């Protein structure tokens, strides 16, 4: 009798208590972007231009985390069977990136794969450091391998005259365009988006927060930048590759757009709630802006008679 009375009292209390708040996945609720965290990142990084300025970490969505610097994206995608790191920023940024991973409660030694975007020091300069700290294996497209394994800038790179090399690293797996890389519960698809470098690679995957899943498009840098005496107009084949990449990126069924430099796609503004997280035309706008920069560069070279 006493047990029955206690059970009735407990049931009445449960009915009288307000129902627990349900996660909100439509906006920026639990499982969605850490809006306050990205607002703090934006404030912390305001006015900073170095590739290595440290940033705090924050959740992007579900199992996708920002662990990069103020100006260079590094992503951690987690799972119970191992994690994936996308890019590695600079050698100088490596300690801060590892600290960010730990601050989120994850063990760097549980990173299984490191995926790469393009072979410039601001994105892969810390790759050798990350491999030593995590034991992870490196994945890249074949065109990136000569630079990654030598640490020397490609002489054909439009920026070769002004950018530095980095510590070489072994590439453990070479992927082709449209090939997938998988761990249990995680599948990434590589896309060749050449132009910025020969090995430029974009990555697509799907991540979930509770019942809601989103497509993520980590679209590599596609900007045409010529440094030193390099004259883009003298390289019609490279210009053609850029234009092919612009068309490919514009045609992507774009999900949540992420980019190797956050400022290139207003990442911090979108993740802090100042702009929509995902817009149907995001990839088209990203490609159109890059194409305009190429056209402006070609026009300036013509005017200057370079």
């Amino acid at each position: 009798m006493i047990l029955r009375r206690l059970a009735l009292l407990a049931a009445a209390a449960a009915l009288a208590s307000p129902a627990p708040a349900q996660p909100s996945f439509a906006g920026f609720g639990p499982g969605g972007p850490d809006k306050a965290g990205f607002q703090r990142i934006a404030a912390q990084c305001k006015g900073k231009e170095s590739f290595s300025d440290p940033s705090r970490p924050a959740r992007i969505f579900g199992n996708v985390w920002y662990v990069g610097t103020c100006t260079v994206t590094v992503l951690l995608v987690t799972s119970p069977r191992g994690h994936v790191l996308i890019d590695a920023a600079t050698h100088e940024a490596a300690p801060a990136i590892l600290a960010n991973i730990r601050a989120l409660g994850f063990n760097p030694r549980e990173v299984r794969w490191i995926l790469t975007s393009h072979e410039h020091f601001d994105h892969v300069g810390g790759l050798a450091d990350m491999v030593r700290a995590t034991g992870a294996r490196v994945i890249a497209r074949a065109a990136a391998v000569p630079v990654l394994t030598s640490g020397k800038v490609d002489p054909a790179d439009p920026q070769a005259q002004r950018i530095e090399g980095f510590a070489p690293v072994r590439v453990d797996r070479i992927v082709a365009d449209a090939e997938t890389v998988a761990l249990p519960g995680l599948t990434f698809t590589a896309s060749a988006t050449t132009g910025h470098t020969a090995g430029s690679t974009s990555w697509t995957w799907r991540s979930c927060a509770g019942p809601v899943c989103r497509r993520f498009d980590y679209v590599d840098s596609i900007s045409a930048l010529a440094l030193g005496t390099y004259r883009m107009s003298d390289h019609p084949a490279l210009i053609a590759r850029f234009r092919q990449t612009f068309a490919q990126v514009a045609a992507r069924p774009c999900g949540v757009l992420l980019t190797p430099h956050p400022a290139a796609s207003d990442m911090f503004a979108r993740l802090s709630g100042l702009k929509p997280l995902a817009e149907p035309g995001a990839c088209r706008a990203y490609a159109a802006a890059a194409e305009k920069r190429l056209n402006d560069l070609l026009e300036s070279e013509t005017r200057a008679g370079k």
Side-chain angles (χ1 to χ4, degrees):
M1 185 70 176
I2 293 175
L3 292 175
R4 176 177 173 78
R5 189 173 301 164
L6 289 174
L8 289 172
L9 287 172
L15 289 172
S17 300
Q22 295 300 310
S24 171
F25 299 102
F28 296 96
D34 176 5
K35 181 165 64 174
F38 279 104
Q39 290 171 352
R40 289 192 289 272
I41 289 175
Q44 172 190 357
C45 295
K46 186 176 181 180
K48 295 184 177 178
E49 298 181 355
S50 166
F51 294 139
S52 305
D53 283 325
S55 164
R56 70 185 299 276
R59 184 201 296 270
I60 293 177
F61 181 83
N63 62 338
V64 185
W65 310 83
Y66 189 89
V67 294
T69 73
C70 284
T71 60
V72 179
T73 300
V74 180
L75 302 174
L76 179 70
V77 187
T78 59
S79 83
R81 301 288 295 276
H83 315 316
V84 173
L85 198 67
I86 306 181
D87 279 341
T90 63
H91 164 67
E92 293 77 11
I97 293 168
L98 291 167
N100 280 346
I101 294 172
R102 295 187 185 99
L104 292 171
F106 300 107
N107 183 351
R109 297 297 300 180
E110 293 179 354
V111 175
R112 301 289 181 254
W113 293 107
I114 303 178
L115 312 183
T116 58
S117 59
H118 67 270
E119 57 276 24
H120 281 165
F121 77 97
D122 48 330
H123 304 284
V124 296
L127 202 53
D129 303 275
M130 290 297 123
V131 169
R132 282 194 296 272
T134 65
R137 292 184 288 174
V138 175
I139 299 177
R141 288 197 308 110
V145 171
V147 175
L148 293 176
T149 56
S150 69
K152 298 178 180 179
V153 181
D154 180 359
D157 190 314
Q159 301 178 50
Q161 296 179 33
R162 297 285 176 84
I163 61 173
E164 60 193 69
F166 48 86
V169 67
R170 185 179 71 183
V171 175
D172 300 283
R173 178 174 168 183
I174 297 173
V175 292
D177 183 35
E179 187 173 348
T180 59
V181 174
L183 285 174
L186 297 176
T187 301
F188 300 83
T189 302
S191 300
T193 44
T194 58
H196 194 70
T197 68
S200 284
T201 305
S202 299
W203 295 93
T204 305
W205 70 97
R206 187 173 175 84
S207 286
C208 301
V212 175
C213 297
R214 289 186 181 272
R215 171 189 166 115
F216 282 83
D217 288 84
Y218 185 62
V219 180
D220 193 20
S221 299
I222 56 175
S223 57
L225 180 60
L227 299 181
T229 60
Y230 191 96
R231 189 173 184 273
M232 188 69 68
S233 303
D234 292 337
H235 302 273
L238 178 58
I239 293 170
R241 286 200 296 275
F242 267 116
R243 297 204 186 281
Q244 182 179 15
T245 290
F246 299 153
Q248 175 200 334
V249 170
R252 293 173 80 94
C254 207
V256 177
L257 174 63
L258 304 175
T259 50
H261 292 287
S265 60
D266 289 329
M267 271 177 55
F268 291 162
R270 290 186 290 114
L271 292 166
S272 63
L274 299 177
K275 293 184 176 182
L277 175 63
E279 295 180 295
C283 285
R284 288 196 303 275
Y286 185 59
E291 186 163 27
K292 183 180 185 304
R293 286 193 295 272
L294 173 60
N295 291 338
D296 288 347
L297 173 61
L298 295 174
E299 184 179 341
S300 69
E301 289 181 352
T302 298
R303 286 199 309 268
K306 287 180 65 178

